Amino acid sequence: MSQRITRVAGPAAQACDMASSFMGEVVKLGAMGLIGEVIRIEGDIATIQVYEDTTGLMPGDPVERSGEEFSVELGPGLLGSIFDGVQRPLQALASGWGNFISRGAQIPRLDRSAKWEFQPKVTLGQMVNGGAELGHVRETELINHKIMVPHGVSGEVAKVFAGARTIAQPVAELADGTPLYMRQKWNIRKPRPVGKRLPSTRPLVTGQRVIDSLFPIALGGAGIIPGGFGSGKTVLEQTIAKHSEARIIVYIGCGERGNEMADTLEQLRELSDPATGRPLMERTILIANTSNMPVAAREASIYTGVTIAEYYRDMGYDVVALADSSSRWAEALREISSRMEEIPGEEGYPTYLAGRLGAFYERAGKVAVAGRPEESGSLTIIGAVSPPGGDFSEPVTQASLRMASTFWGLDSQLAYQRHFPAINWRTSFSLTHRAMSRWFTENVGEKWPEMIAKTQAILQREEELEEIAQIVGADSMEERERSALEAGRIIREGYLRQSAVHPVDVCCPLPRQLKTLETILGFIAAMDAAVGRGALLEDIITSPLVERLLRLKEAPPEGLDSLIESLREEYKTFFDSLEEK
Amino acid sequence: MSRSIVTEYQTVDAVKGPLIFVRGIKGVSYGEMATIVTGPERSMLGQVIEISDKFAALQVFGPTRGISPATAVVRFHGEPIEMSLSPLILGRMFRGDGAPMDGAPPLIPAHRRDVSGSAINPVQRELPRDFMMTGVSAIDGLNTLARGQKLPIFSGAGLPSNELANLIINNAGLANQGLAGQGLAGQGLAGQTGKFALVFAGMGITGREADYFYNSFHQSGAIEHSVVFMNLAGDPVIERFITPRLALTAAEYLAFDLDYHVLVVLTDMTNYCNALREISSAREEIPGRRGYPGYMYTDLAGLYERAGRIRGKPGSITQLPILTMPDDDITHPIADLTGYITEGQIVLDRDLNRKGVFPPINALPSLSRLMDHAIGAKSTREDHRQLADQLYMLYARGVEQRRVASIIGEEGLTEEDRGYVRFADRFEKDFIHQGESRRDMEQTLAAGWALLEGIEDRDLVRVSRDMINKYRPQRGDDELDKDKQA
C-alpha cells in the first residue's frame, strides 16, 4: 500500500498512487484516520474532500482506501438522534469525546447494542424482493419502523428471528444463506429507487395561515424560503418542523448557528405531539453541521439528511426534509471547487451548481414505494436560501426558483415591522395551488377557493390604493377607498400575521382558518356595504369590535364557536345601528 | 504532532505580499507554525496554509518587506499556533500577535492551546437564556442580549460605536459585580452571579481609539478583570488574522476553565475582513463579492461561533463584535455575512446621530434573536415582549408616515398618521436617547409605557388589556383634556 498524501490545502487534499480508486470512494487520511471522499482523479493523483479539519496532515501521510462509496447507515435508532453532516452521532461523540468536536473519532453511526422487538410479517418460504417488508419494530412511541429487504437482494425466506434483536444480528435469512439485518447502507448521492411517481393533490398542512391559505405546499412538493438575515427563515422552518402534519421530520442544520441547533433540539424535546402527547423529537432526526464545523461535511449534510428522509418515505410515511440553509451548502460547494481550481461560473460558484440543486430538489415527490406498489409515501423538501444582501437575483436563489413548486419570499420590510411570518404575498407563489383546489373544496369547505380569491383581491386592492395614498395622501381619498385600505389592514393584522410564540396562535388548523377567515371577510363585506350607504369609516374603525376581530386568532379553541357567533351578531347589530344614525 | 527536532530550511523560493513559499521541505504539516528569521534579531511568525510534497506556502504575520530568499531561514515548529494561558492572564495587555505590551514578562503557561479552537458539539450547547444587562434601553428593552449570545454592532465611519461599546462594557461589568440591580426578577438566577471578565481585541484600530479604550479601562478599573489584545492600524495587517483567535482562546479559557462570564469585544471586524481579503488576493484565489474570498462566511463563523455556553459549565462567552459598514451599506459582504452568523445585530444610524440621539441605534433593522429566551416574567417582566412589539409597530408606522410626509407634505397626512409621526419623534427623543446615563430594566420599561400614554386603544393591538391596565401610567381626565387643548 503506497497511497500517500501529496498536497493539503484547506478541506481538499491530494494523494498519489490512486489510479485504481474511483469517484466517490471513501478514504481515511493520516494517522488519525480522517474521513474523506474522492472527488477527482487525474492520472494516479486523486483529489479528496476531507470531512474533518485537516490541520496536522502532511505530505507522505498514509491514505487508506475503503473500496466503498460514501453511504449512510439506515435502521432503527435514527429517530430522536442528532448527527453531524457525515452521520456521526453527536450525542455519542459528546459522551466519548467531550464538549468539542474531536477528529478521527471512530464511532458506529447507529447503536449496536440497543435491542428492538422485531415483529415479522414475512413467512417462511415466501419470495421477497428489494423493498419488501420483513416486519417492523416499534422505533418510538410515535413511529413503527418497517424493516425492508435491501434493494438488490431477493430470494426465498428460509429463517425468521422474531423477538428482541440488535441491528448487528440478522432478523431473517434467505435460502441461499444471505442474512438480512435491520440495518442497511445507502450511497447518499444516489436517490433511493421508487416504484412510480404519483401526482400530488393534497397539501402539507403547516398550521401557518399565510402558507396553507395563500401559498400551500403539496405533499411531495419542493418549497424554498429565501430571505435576508433576520427575516425569519429559521423560525419558519422550526415552526414547520413543530406543527406541520408530517409523520417524520428530518431537519438539516447546514452551516447555521450552533445556538439555533441547541434551540431546535430543546424545543422538539419539550413539545409534544398533540395526538399522543409524546415528545416531537420521537418523529424527528436532526442533522447538525454548524457553520464552524468542517466545510466538506456541510456539503455532504444535505445528502445525508435527504437519504434518511427517503428511507422513511419508503416505509410509507409522509416525510418533510427541511434544509437550513441551502446557500451554505452551495458555499461549501464553491469552496471545494475553488480549492480544486475549477473554472468558476457566476459569482465564483461552480458551473454545476444548478444541476446539483436540481438533482437535490428532484428527490422530493409523492411515490408508490419501490417493491410495495400498493403503498405510497411522500417526501417534501423545504429549503431555506440566504441570498447575500437579501438580493434574490443571486445564483443560488435563481437556480432554486427553477426547481421549486412553492416559493415563500421573505421580506425584510415586513420583518422590520415585526410582521411574521414575513412572507411577502406579492412575490410568493404556489404552482400546485390549482392541483390541490379540489382537495381544499372537499376537505375544508365549498366556499374556500372563493374566499381565498376574495382575500387576494383585498390585498391587491390595498396595494394599489397604498401607492395612490403615498402620492395624494390618505386624507384626500374617498371614504370607500379608505375602507378598502382598512380591509387590507384587517387581513394583514388579523389573519396573515401569526405569532411563533403565542400558545394558541402558533398553530392554526385548517378548520379554524376557515372560520377565522369567514368571520373577517364577513366583517369586511359589512363594513364596505355600510360605508357605501354613507356610514362614516371613522365610526367603524374606532369601534372596539375591530380590535376583537384582530384578536380572534388568539382566542382559545374552547368556546371559539360561540365567540365567533357572538362577534358576528354584535357586528351585525353594530352595522344596523350605524344605519339608523 | 509535535516533534523534538525542529526543522530548519533556507529554501525560500518566492515572497508574494504576505506569503512566502518554501521548497524542498519534508515532514511539515498543514496548519503548522514557523518562525521566519530574516536577519540578526529579526524574526516573525508564519503559518502553513498549503503544503505539498514540493513546497509549503506560509502566511507571514508581519511585514514581508526585507525578506530575502537568499538569506531567510524558516524554522518549523511542528505544531499549530498555540498560546500560553494561566489565571494570571487577567489584567494583561498584549500586542496583536500575542507578545506582551505592558512591560511585564511573558506568561508562564499553565496550559497551551491551539488558537484556532474546535467547534462546540451542538448537543453540548446550552441555549443562552440569561438576560444580560447593558443599561441601554434600545438594547435591553427592544433587542435584549443574553449571556452566550453574539450580537454585533453595525456602525459607520464617524458613528459612536466605541462610545456605545464602552458604555456596555462598563454597565455589563457593574451589573455583574452586584454594584447595581439585575433584571427585576433576575436575582438569584443561575449564571447571574458569576465572575465577570472582559476580553478586548483591537484589530487595525487607530492609536486614538486604542487610547480611548485604554484610558477608559483604567479609569473604570475594568483593566483588572480584562485581557487586552491590540493590533493597531500601523501594525502588520496579517497579524489581524490571529488577534481575534488569541482573544477567543483566552476567552474560552476564562469561561470554560475558570468559570467567568466573559464579554468579548472585537473591533473592528472590517479591518479583519480586509486582512483576509489581502491574504486571499496574494494567494491568487478567485474572489467572491467585492473581492472578498468565497470562504469568508466559514472563516467568520469560525470566530463568531466561539460564543456560547456549554452544558454543565457556569461560564459563558458573549461576543460584541463591532464592524464599520463601508458607506453605511448593510448589504456589504462584511455586514451581510456577519448578520447571517450572529444572533441579531445592533444597527447605528447616521440620521439619529445627526439629531443628537445617543446611542443612535436604529431599532427597525436591529434584532436580537435570543431575546425571547432571555426575557419574560421569570427574568425581566411579563409585559416585556408585548411592550417591545407594540413600540416596534408604532415606530415602524411613524417612520413610514414620516417618509410619506416628505413626499406629499405633512398636510397630506391624516390626523391619525400625524399621530404616528409624533410618536416616532417621541420614541427617538425619550426612549432611544439616553445620553451617557444608564437605565435599569424598570426604567427602560417605564420609558416604553410612558410613550403609550394617549395612544388610541385600536392601535394597542400588540399589548393585552391586562398589561395595559397594569403597567400603563394612569392619568386623570383633566390632564388628558390639557393634552388635547395643547
Side-chain angles (χ1 to χ4, degrees), chain B residues 308-320:
Chain B
R309 309 197 68 156
I310 292 179
R311 242 164 243 291
K313 301 248 181 201
S316 66
I317 297 178
T318 310
Q319 273 188 29
L320 204 63

Side-chain angles (χ1 to χ4, degrees), chain A residues 243-512:
Chain A
H243 301 290
S244 74
E245 289 181 1
R247 288 299 301 282
I248 304 282
I249 299 282
V250 180
Y251 192 102
I252 310 161
C254 169
E256 286 290 313
R257 303 175 181 90
N259 280 337
E260 259 166 17
M261 288 315 297
D263 184 22
T264 310
L265 192 62
E266 199 166 291
Q267 290 190 40
L268 290 169
R269 279 185 182 146
E270 279 167 13
L271 281 173
S272 52
D273 177 55
T276 54
R278 302 293 306 176
L280 282 176
M281 199 61 204
E282 291 190 358
R283 67 161 194 182
T284 312
I285 295 144
L286 290 180
I287 311 289
N289 213 90
T290 56
S291 55
N292 56 342
M293 285 161 76
V295 78
R298 190 199 300 169
E299 192 274 333
S301 66
I302 67 166
Y303 297 108
T304 298
V306 85
T307 307
I308 293 174
E310 283 177 338
Y311 175 65
Y312 281 91
R313 173 204 67 195
D314 290 348
M315 292 178 207
Y317 290 119
D318 290 325
V319 185
V320 174
L322 297 152
D324 185 14
S325 145
S326 59
S327 296
R328 304 300 161 221
W329 166 82
E331 280 165 10
L333 205 64
R334 174 169 70 183
E335 185 167 343
I336 295 156
S337 160
S338 119
R339 302 282 187 185
M340 288 167 69
E341 289 161 8
E342 293 175 333
I343 294 165
E346 240 179 311
E347 291 198 18
Y349 287 106
T351 45
Y352 44 80
L353 170 72
R356 295 270 173 95
L357 263 175
F360 171 69
Y361 282 111
E362 270 306 284
R363 292 174 77 164
K366 183 170 169 66
V367 303
V369 174
R372 304 195 311 283
E374 71 290 354
E375 279 181 57
S376 71
S378 74
L379 170 56
T380 311
I381 298 182
I382 299 174
V385 186
S386 319
D391 172 9
F392 289 3
S393 69
E394 59 90 38
V396 183
T397 314
Q398 286 303 313
S400 310
L401 259 176
R402 286 198 292 278
M403 311 301 159
S405 55
T406 309
F407 169 79
W408 299 314
L410 300 186
D411 187 330
S412 312
Q413 287 307 319
L414 289 174
Y416 290 170
Q417 293 165 30
R418 301 305 192 255
H419 175 111
F420 290 111
I423 295 178
N424 183 327
W425 51 89
R426 289 180 286 273
T427 56
S428 301
F429 62 76
S430 164
L431 295 177
T432 42
H433 204 173
R434 205 162 292 225
M436 293 184 289
S437 74
R438 187 155 152 214
W439 186 91
F440 277 105
T441 339
E442 284 169 3
N443 293 278
V444 185
E446 277 292 326
K447 292 169 296 179
W448 183 252
E450 195 187 311
M451 283 165 57
I452 296 307
K454 178 75 191 152
T455 308
Q456 275 164 333
I458 291 172
L459 290 168
Q460 179 69 33
R461 179 85 179 123
E462 188 202 17
E463 192 192 346
E464 293 164 8
L465 290 171
E466 288 252 279
E467 278 171 25
I468 299 171
Q470 299 221 343
I471 302 166
V472 302
D475 228 8
S476 46
M477 293 179 87
E478 284 175 26
E479 206 68 355
R480 283 296 288 268
E481 291 173 336
R482 289 184 52 212
S483 148
L485 280 176
E486 180 66 13
R489 185 182 86 92
I490 293 174
I491 296 278
R492 282 187 287 113
E493 286 288 319
Y495 194 73
L496 299 185
R497 193 169 167 266
Q498 189 165 358
S499 166
V501 289
H502 190 282
V504 174
D505 196 27
V506 68
C507 176
C508 186
L510 273 176
R512 181 166 178 151

